[in-house]
Amino acid sequence: EIVMTQSPATLSVSPGERATLSCRASQSLSSNLAWYQQKPGQAPRLLIYGASTRATGIPARFSGSGSGTEFTLTISSLQSEDFAVYYCQQYNNWPPWTFGQGTKVEIK
Amino acid sequence: EVQLVESGGGLVKPGGSLKLSCAASGFTFSTYNMNWVRQAPGKGLEWVSSISSSSSYIYYADSVKGRFTISRDNAKNSLYLQMNSLRAEDTAVYYCASPGSYYTYWGQGTLVTVSS
């Protein structure tokens, strides 16, 4: 089973600042990695797939990068609606499909 | 518009059973692999089970193998999860999600609480 590790657990950022979230895999994923955003009481929303491709309707301030075992989600200028929990998920080696434990982006 | 609507959650005693349903609309259900993902209160996301479009391939997380059964009815555009021998650690919001290996579409979730 591939273990996904996200860091940091919590990220405190001021509105308008850049946020950088990390995700590390225990084995190489090639580019088979997705990112999701989840707000309280809501279902997750797909942001990025293929490590760097934005899903339909996702603003350009969200970008993904990386391959192999190291991946990054960058939010270039945080808006109020971006404060949420973010999860990475691998779909290279399955089953199981595995998620990271999440990074909470909170207002500084 | 794609819609996934889960139902069937509720309070059940340890050792009990529950069957979840997911009604799909807005896409050709019979051509999509479907999945169940759960989230325990205050915790992260956990993949539970997947079923291929024709039900030929079925997968389960080790934590539910032998207790849960995934199925689908393409004529009714519906996905199911039969949950038996429920444990306290199965308490979670259960989401149906599609397609394939990363999940573009999610339902709103249904809460399953296992408690005496």
Side-chain angles (χ1 to χ4, degrees):
Chain A
E1 172 177 330
I2 294 181
V3 176
M4 305 299 295
T5 303
Q6 292 185 241
S7 62
T10 303
L11 187 61
S12 298
V13 186
S14 299
E17 289 188 341
R18 174 188 293 258
T20 302
L21 289 66
S22 295
C23 177
R24 175 178 294 176
S26 60
Q27 300 175 36
S28 178
L29 305 181
S30 184
S31 295
N32 295 315
L33 182 105
W35 288 95
Y36 301 87
Q37 176 194 66
Q38 188 179 33
K39 297 178 181 179
Q42 296 185 16
R45 177 174 70 145
L46 178 68
L47 297 176
I48 301 283
Y49 62 92
S52 61
T53 303
R54 277 189 302 277
T56 302
I58 302 303
R61 63 180 182 273
F62 291 92
S63 63
S65 62
S67 65
T69 62
E70 302 281 345
F71 300 87
T72 300
L73 175 69
T74 301
I75 312 171
S76 59
S77 176
L78 270 158
Q79 307 298 302
S80 57
E81 61 267 30
D82 300 335
F83 292 96
V85 180
Y86 292 83
Y87 295 95
C88 61
Q89 179 230 341
Q90 71 84 19
Y91 53 95
N92 190 67
N93 284 33
W94 48 266
W97 291 260
T98 49
F99 293 88
Q101 79 281 16
T103 290
K104 181 180 181 180
V105 177
E106 64 176 24
I107 301 174
K108 186 175 183 179
Chain B
E1 178 193 5
V2 171
Q3 279 202 313
L4 299 171
V5 180
E6 301 95 337
S7 60
L11 176 62
V12 61
K13 289 181 168 55
S17 298
L18 212 55
K19 186 173 185 176
L20 306 183
S21 300
C22 172
S25 61
F27 65 105
T28 308
F29 179 78
S30 61
T31 65
Y32 281 67
N33 298 341
M34 295 295 297
N35 311 274
W36 289 99
V37 177
R38 69 184 180 182
Q39 186 170 37
K43 302 297 184 182
L45 301 169
E46 179 189 17
W47 168 78
V48 173
S49 183
S50 295
I51 186 168
S52 64
S53 57
S54 61
S55 304
S56 298
Y57 300 96
I58 287 175
Y59 306 99
Y60 298 100
D62 286 346
S63 58
V64 306
K65 199 172 294 183
R67 300 187 299 122
F68 289 12
T69 302
I70 191 172
S71 62
R72 64 191 295 160
D73 185 336
N74 287 343
K76 295 183 177 179
N77 288 349
S78 293
L79 174 72
Y80 306 102
L81 187 67
Q82 176 68 46
M83 303 185 297
N84 299 331
S85 303
L86 282 161
R87 306 166 179 167
E89 54 264 35
D90 295 319
T91 294
V93 174
Y94 286 73
Y95 296 101
C96 65
S98 73
S101 289
Y102 58 86
Y103 314 126
T104 306
Y105 307 116
W106 297 71
Q108 84 289 351
T110 187
L111 177 62
V112 172
T113 303
V114 184
S115 174
S116 56

